[in-house]
Amino acid sequence: MSKRRVAYYYDADAGAYTYGLGHPMKPHRIRVTHDLVTAYDMLPKMHVLRPKRATPETMSSFHTDEYIHFLNRVTPETAEDLTYHGTRCAAKRITSGAADIAINWAGGLHHAKKREASGFCYINDIVLGILELLRTYPRVLYIDIDCHHGDGVEEAFYTTDRVMTCSFHKFGEYFPGTGTQDDRGRGKGKGYAINVPLKDGITDQSFQSVFEPVIMKILEVFQPSAVVLQCGADSLAGDKLGCFNLTMHGHAHCVQFLRKQNIPLILLGGGGYTVKNVARTWTYETACALGIEDTIDPLLPWNEYFEWFGPRYRLEVVENNMEDLNVKDGSLDTVRITALEHLSELIPAPSVGMHDVPRESVSHHLGLDDDEPRDDLDERLARKFVVYSLNASSNICIEHMRYAYDLQESDSPSETSDDDSWDSDESLSSRRSRTRRFQKSSTQSRTHMSLLTGQYFDVPVQEQGYSHFEHGAVPGKTAKRRFFQSAASWDETIEDVIIGKLSPFPIQIGELMERGGRPPGVEEGEEEWEDMAVDP
């Protein structure tokens, strides 16, 4: 097998991040994978690189400024943990010609939307990476083999023919509830969103029978300049949240198949909630990228997490006794035929006008990505906008976060349904949810699907016990969410910022912070002031 130059991105801090005790998403799986890759002595065969942290300017090339600002404010102590730059660095490595295959197992967060988090995903690193590829390549193919539909990436490129998205996923009362074969793109991107909805229990043979013909047809028609493969491991047999029956070899066959096409390739992580199986599979797929999968020992070498892989201690994920519903009802043939028919309708290889390839990024050209420390003026200006609340210094942040994720902005329904007025910035799920809301009921609520249970929940827009106007969410149908509301105001007399609404007494911000949040007349050690009544 021919040799490929492989770049491998890893940051030890990524595995140290946690979503909390009991949460199914375990970033520690990246650390376990890396340790297993190291034990198999694969690192000397690759260019091992540590990605830089993404700047707000970089993330706002897809996400809205308000959303990035919100993430930074609502979780200031963990904001950097959400901004790993691996996928975009991998894309740069590919476009520079320094690598043929780039790997970032910490990436693949395909649910994040332009202005909201979704499905354990905050920042959509895939979209940021593809945008970097598009600066050099005319066409990019995105393939998603996660058990969940890659809705965030599909929505981002739903109206363009320069990116084709192809998702193989479970459909039917399953998060995120999107990804039918009728979702094919809009406008210029009509036909460039390919969805392959599957049912429970699909096996290696069944999956291969639909994956290979569909991808071969895409390569023939679209002729991509680069491929991004999201290797979500929740499609493996025995996953805690998945419902497929793929083995490690069946999952890795997708990597092997694309490697043979000799097209620049980026491999990303994604879902996967049985940690030991995720580590096994991504280790084996790293070997596939290097072309050494036939030479590695199926008996696991000693490593720090060796005991996790008992009782067999083998590099394998075997299938279980699930019934393949795709074969039982004959739906697999119908799905494959429909996908191939849609691809046959496309005009081969959409062209892109000749243009000069940028030698450097816009942020670098403007000097926005310099790592220079902030000077004294920057610090003083930043302090001017600090808002400190006496009665809700800790709760306001938590409630704001809860509402920002539970509530989305609500616009009035359009009086026309002209396809030409499509807004590419609006998420499909938001659009459908809002449509159902106005058709079925006049109550102010929205529908959310749970990633864990697949059930739908009606989340009220206004709920007793919370002050929506003070925490950024509003009850009106036509109003928009406000991220930058503040209880502070400018006092022209003293020419300084004071807190007047949430505090029963106006006080200068600087003095309040120096006193540790204690109001005037209360000395250190006196706790009675914490129970003081506050004017509404």
Side-chain angles (χ1 to χ4, degrees):
M1 186 174 289
S2 59
K3 188 176 181 179
R4 298 286 192 278
R5 296 170 300 165
V6 179
Y8 175 83
Y9 285 87
Y10 174 72
D11 190 325
D13 292 341
Y17 181 73
T18 176
Y19 282 75
L21 186 65
H23 197 286
M25 175 62 93
K26 307 292 185 184
H28 188 64
R29 62 199 179 142
I30 301 165
R31 170 68 186 275
V32 181
T33 300
H34 179 75
D35 205 69
L36 200 53
V37 168
T38 304
Y40 270 110
D41 199 29
M42 297 186 200
L43 296 184
K45 301 177 177 65
M46 302 183 288
H47 298 283
V48 182
L49 304 165
R50 181 178 182 178
K52 298 187 300 183
R53 300 297 170 89
T55 63
E57 291 79 14
T58 297
M59 292 184 286
S60 60
S61 61
F62 169 60
H63 297 285
T64 62
D65 293 348
E66 293 85 357
Y67 177 58
I68 299 302
H69 174 86
F70 165 71
L71 283 181
N72 187 59
R73 290 293 180 269
V74 77
T75 55
E77 70 283 357
T78 60
E80 286 192 352
D81 295 325
L82 309 178
T83 60
Y84 291 102
H85 209 26
T87 303
R88 193 163 179 267
C89 290
K92 286 184 176 181
R93 191 80 178 178
I94 292 291
T95 57
S96 67
D100 302 309
I101 301 175
I103 301 174
N104 177 32
W105 296 128
L109 306 180
H110 59 169
H111 292 306
K113 306 298 194 305
K114 185 180 183 69
R115 54 172 67 91
E116 66 181 5
S118 176
F120 311 155
C121 306
Y122 297 92
I123 298 296
N124 199 315
D125 63 290
I126 305 173
V127 173
L128 298 178
I130 293 177
L131 289 175
E132 184 64 32
L133 291 173
L134 290 174
R135 299 178 69 245
T136 302
Y137 296 128
R139 293 176 297 278
V140 176
L141 170 61
Y142 170 72
I143 304 173
D144 194 314
I145 59 173
D146 193 288
C147 194
H148 301 89
H149 178 230
D151 56 334
V153 182
E154 178 182 285
E155 291 178 7
F157 301 108
Y158 205 65
T159 60
T160 180
D161 59 358
R162 291 190 62 193
V163 178
M164 176 173 281
T165 60
C166 181
S167 178
F168 300 82
H169 55 272
K170 162 68 187 293
F171 180 77
E173 295 301 318
Y174 195 70
F175 183 87
T178 56
T180 70
Q181 291 194 294
D182 294 329
D183 296 331
R184 300 175 56 194
R186 187 67 69 102
K188 195 175 181 180
K190 182 70 172 181
Y192 291 91
I194 304 299
N195 285 297
V196 183
L198 304 170
K199 296 183 179 180
D200 290 0
I202 191 165
T203 60
D204 293 352
Q205 184 178 359
S206 298
F207 192 83
Q208 185 175 336
S209 71
V210 67
F211 181 85
E212 286 194 4
V214 170
I215 297 303
M216 281 301 297
K217 187 64 175 179
I218 290 177
L219 296 179
E220 174 190 339
V221 174
F222 189 62
Q223 297 180 21
S225 307
V227 177
V228 178
L229 177 61
Q230 198 263 21
C231 303
D234 50 6
S235 50
L236 292 168
D239 189 80
K240 293 180 179 179
L241 297 185
C243 52
F244 287 172
N245 197 15
L246 298 182
T247 68
M248 179 186 73
H249 291 91
H251 195 274
H253 175 78
C254 301
V255 177
Q256 295 170 321
F257 181 80
L258 288 169
R259 187 183 188 275
K260 294 176 182 178
Q261 308 307 316
N262 294 323
I263 302 174
L265 176 64
I266 296 179
L267 300 179
L268 303 175
Y273 307 97
T274 302
V275 174
K276 59 182 180 181
N277 289 346
V278 174
R280 286 180 171 123
T281 302
W282 287 350
T283 298
Y284 184 73
E285 289 173 346
T286 302
C288 291
L290 291 168
I292 61 172
E293 65 271 25
D294 295 331
T295 64
I296 62 176
D297 191 345
L299 297 177
L300 292 175
W302 175 260
N303 61 87
E304 184 179 350
Y305 302 96
F306 185 77
E307 295 180 355
W308 289 32
F309 300 99
R312 292 174 59 85
Y313 304 101
R314 294 178 61 87
L315 189 65
E316 63 179 7
V317 178
V318 298
E319 65 180 5
N320 52 37
N321 60 354
M322 287 184 69
E323 184 178 19
D324 188 350
L325 300 182
N326 300 274
V327 175
K328 181 179 180 180
D329 61 8
S331 61
L332 191 64
D333 292 334
T334 303
V335 168
R336 179 177 59 252
I337 293 172
T338 302
L340 293 175
E341 287 177 349
H342 289 168
L343 288 168
S344 299
E345 298 172 2
L346 291 178
I347 300 175
S351 60
V352 176
M354 297 291 291
H355 65 282
D356 181 60
V357 177
R359 270 63 174 180
E360 60 183 5
S361 66
V362 176
S363 60
H364 180 73
H365 179 74
L366 297 177
L368 297 177
D369 57 356
D370 294 336
D371 296 328
E372 298 179 359
R374 294 193 298 183
D375 57 24
D376 182 63
L377 178 59
D378 292 329
E379 296 290 347
R380 286 190 286 111
L381 287 175
R383 284 196 294 268
K384 280 289 186 181
F385 294 96
V386 174
V387 178
Y388 191 91
S389 171
L390 286 177
N391 69 316
S393 59
S394 60
N395 294 335
I396 187 171
C397 178
I398 298 173
E399 291 175 7
H400 190 159
M401 178 173 62
R402 180 185 301 121
Y403 273 88
Y405 287 120
D406 287 348
L407 305 177
Q408 66 186 37
E409 63 184 66
S410 175
D411 301 325
S412 297
S414 174
E415 297 180 359
T416 65
S417 58
D418 186 8
D419 288 348
D420 293 335
S421 63
W422 174 259
D423 178 11
S424 62
D425 287 345
E426 183 178 17
S427 73
L428 293 175
S429 57
S430 302
R431 191 180 178 92
R432 291 169 182 157
S433 175
R434 190 171 62 249
T435 301
R436 289 195 299 267
R437 183 168 66 247
F438 284 112
Q439 288 176 348
K440 294 182 179 180
S441 174
S442 60
T443 59
Q444 299 174 18
S445 64
R446 60 168 294 194
T447 301
H448 256 313
M449 175 181 273
S450 168
L451 192 153
L452 298 178
T453 64
Q455 296 178 329
Y456 287 93
F457 297 92
D458 290 328
V459 181
V461 174
Q462 186 170 7
E463 186 174 330
Q464 295 296 331
Y466 297 98
S467 179
H468 290 68
F469 290 97
E470 294 177 359
H471 299 305
V474 291
K477 293 181 180 179
T478 60
K480 291 183 178 294
R481 202 166 58 198
R482 287 174 285 182
F483 286 89
F484 298 100
Q485 269 191 298
S486 171
S489 60
W490 178 260
D491 191 303
E492 296 183 355
T493 304
I494 61 176
E495 295 185 349
D496 204 346
V497 178
I498 64 170
I499 298 177
K501 182 177 180 180
L502 293 179
S503 173
F505 38 79
I507 182 174
Q508 294 186 25
I509 288 288
E511 181 182 348
L512 182 64
M513 295 180 68
E514 290 178 357
R515 297 180 58 84
R518 296 186 304 277
V522 177
E523 300 302 327
E524 186 174 0
E526 299 182 24
E527 304 298 336
E528 291 80 4
W529 65 276
E530 294 182 354
D531 299 323
M532 293 177 61
V534 178
D535 295 334

